[in-house]
Amino acid sequence: AIQWHDEARVFLERIPAFVRKRVMSRVEVEMARRGLSEVSLELLHELRPAGAAGPFARGSRGSLLARNDPTEH
């Protein structure tokens, strides 16, 4: 199971509720892809779209979290 650092959870709570689950899912997919077991604040910043106004800006296409998930149909 993937563990979230406290700072990463606080950051996640700043993301609008209507997209939070999707962000969590995509972060966890990326963690599994990388073989990592802990989500840090630094990783969330790395995955954050460039120029995002909030934790993750709506409509950004510049990062993993903004891309379409190939597992979704």
Side-chain angles (χ1 to χ4, degrees), residues 5-72:
H5 291 187
D6 290 339
E7 299 85 5
R9 285 206 176 273
V10 168
F11 184 83
L12 186 68
E13 289 299 316
R14 293 177 47 215
I15 296 170
F18 67 93
V19 294
R20 192 174 303 136
K21 276 185 145 179
R22 185 174 187 142
V23 169
M24 283 183 69
S25 175
R26 289 183 180 189
V27 167
E28 291 179 351
V29 165
E30 180 63 10
M31 297 304 297
R33 187 185 73 76
R34 294 183 184 195
L36 302 174
S37 61
E38 296 183 359
V39 179
S40 67
L41 181 59
E42 292 79 17
L43 177 75
L44 291 179
H45 284 294
E46 177 185 331
L47 298 177
R48 181 180 179 176
F56 292 94
R58 183 176 161 199
S60 297
R61 298 280 178 211
S63 81
L64 165 83
L65 297 179
R67 294 184 192 135
N68 291 328
D69 185 349
T71 64
E72 293 177 4

